[in-house]
Amino acid sequence: TQLLEQSPQFLSIQEGENLTVYCNSSSVFSSLQWYRQEPGEGPVLLVTVVTGGEVKKLKRLTFQFGDARKDSSLHITAAQPGDTGLYLCAGEGETSGSRLTFGEGTQLTVNP
Amino acid sequence: DVKVTQSSRYLVKRTGEKVFLECVQDMDHENMFWYRQDPGLGLRLIYFSYDVKMKEKGDIPEGYSVSREKKERFSLILESASTNQTSMYLCATQTVTDTQYFGPGTRLTVL
């Protein structure tokens, strides 16, 4: 079974601060996705990274896929209260077909 | 826009009851999934389906069954609900590029 470990599990910061969330595994993934989930809603896809070393930017969010495709990070610059939510990483294994393995999630709270 | 709807947002059932959770999608996606989400455990896959009348067990299928009689509808069935099945249940569909679209979830409480 492939596992994805996210850290930290909880993060509470002030508006304007920067933060990084990590997603690590001992397994190789063919792609990795990041989702954000708001209370009472299902997760919504933010980005998919597929190439080792790939960096994608979405406004103040920067996503990176590790060179070996075993880990990923999400960096938020100048966090805002609207960034508050549960961030989930999900990996597609090289032999798992279309199944995704989800990390436990990082609950981010940005205080005004 | 992809739309995935789930039959109930909140549900309260008693131990031993049979529970049906329904999921409907409007995008003609072949792949559909049922997850449960619990604090600190992330999303765990219960069952998934690649096509009508096809189903495959996920990581935690015990105590659950599924039905997919039509492409747009994927139902999760708790044959005899137990308190340890109290959870948030999420349905998802999947595109050919493996992006998953989730419904809003059903928060089930079993008393």
Side-chain angles (χ1 to χ4, degrees), chain B residues 56 89 91-92 105 111:
Chain B
E56 292 200 32
Y89 289 88
C91 172
L111 302 175

PDB file of all heavy atoms in Angstrom, chain B residues 56 89 91-92 105 111:
ATOM      1  N   GLU B  56     -15.250  -2.382  -7.832  1.00  0.00           N
ATOM      2  CA  GLU B  56     -14.029  -2.948  -7.277  1.00  0.00           C
ATOM      3  C   GLU B  56     -13.864  -2.450  -5.857  1.00  0.00           C
ATOM      4  O   GLU B  56     -14.177  -1.297  -5.555  1.00  0.00           O
ATOM      5  CB  GLU B  56     -12.808  -2.571  -8.120  1.00  0.00           C
ATOM      6  CG  GLU B  56     -12.813  -3.210  -9.485  1.00  0.00           C
ATOM      7  CD  GLU B  56     -11.431  -3.247 -10.110  1.00  0.00           C
ATOM      8  OE1 GLU B  56     -10.440  -3.369  -9.374  1.00  0.00           O
ATOM      9  OE2 GLU B  56     -11.360  -3.161 -11.350  1.00  0.00           O
ATOM     10  N   TYR B  89     -18.982  11.039   4.160  1.00  0.00           N
ATOM     11  CA  TYR B  89     -18.855  10.206   2.965  1.00  0.00           C
ATOM     12  C   TYR B  89     -18.815  11.106   1.737  1.00  0.00           C
ATOM     13  O   TYR B  89     -19.681  11.964   1.544  1.00  0.00           O
ATOM     14  CB  TYR B  89     -20.023   9.219   2.882  1.00  0.00           C
ATOM     15  CG  TYR B  89     -19.908   8.147   3.930  1.00  0.00           C
ATOM     16  CD1 TYR B  89     -20.444   8.319   5.205  1.00  0.00           C
ATOM     17  CD2 TYR B  89     -19.218   6.963   3.663  1.00  0.00           C
ATOM     18  CE1 TYR B  89     -20.303   7.347   6.179  1.00  0.00           C
ATOM     19  CE2 TYR B  89     -19.077   5.994   4.626  1.00  0.00           C
ATOM     20  CZ  TYR B  89     -19.616   6.195   5.881  1.00  0.00           C
ATOM     21  OH  TYR B  89     -19.470   5.228   6.846  1.00  0.00           O
ATOM     22  N   CYS B  91     -18.385  11.305  -2.492  1.00  0.00           N
ATOM     23  CA  CYS B  91     -18.439  10.655  -3.800  1.00  0.00           C
ATOM     24  C   CYS B  91     -17.606  11.487  -4.767  1.00  0.00           C
ATOM     25  O   CYS B  91     -17.549  12.725  -4.649  1.00  0.00           O
ATOM     26  CB  CYS B  91     -19.890  10.589  -4.270  1.00  0.00           C
ATOM     27  SG  CYS B  91     -20.096  10.023  -5.969  1.00  0.00           S
ATOM     28  N   ALA B  92     -16.954  10.835  -5.715  1.00  0.00           N
ATOM     29  CA  ALA B  92     -16.160  11.558  -6.712  1.00  0.00           C
ATOM     30  C   ALA B  92     -16.292  10.891  -8.069  1.00  0.00           C
ATOM     31  O   ALA B  92     -16.475   9.671  -8.166  1.00  0.00           O
ATOM     32  CB  ALA B  92     -14.691  11.607  -6.300  1.00  0.00           C
ATOM     33  N   GLY B 105     -20.506  15.949  -0.083  1.00  0.00           N
ATOM     34  CA  GLY B 105     -20.359  15.072   1.072  1.00  0.00           C
ATOM     35  C   GLY B 105     -21.666  14.840   1.817  1.00  0.00           C
ATOM     36  O   GLY B 105     -22.573  15.674   1.788  1.00  0.00           O
ATOM     37  N   LEU B 111     -26.384   6.266  15.442  1.00  0.00           N
ATOM     38  CA  LEU B 111     -26.582   6.276  16.905  1.00  0.00           C
ATOM     39  C   LEU B 111     -26.747   4.865  17.467  1.00  0.00           C
ATOM     40  O   LEU B 111     -27.248   3.979  16.775  1.00  0.00           O
ATOM     41  CB  LEU B 111     -27.813   7.119  17.245  1.00  0.00           C
ATOM     42  CG  LEU B 111     -27.762   8.581  16.753  1.00  0.00           C
ATOM     43  CD1 LEU B 111     -29.080   9.266  17.040  1.00  0.00           C
ATOM     44  CD2 LEU B 111     -26.608   9.312  17.446  1.00  0.00           C
TER      45      LEU B 111
END
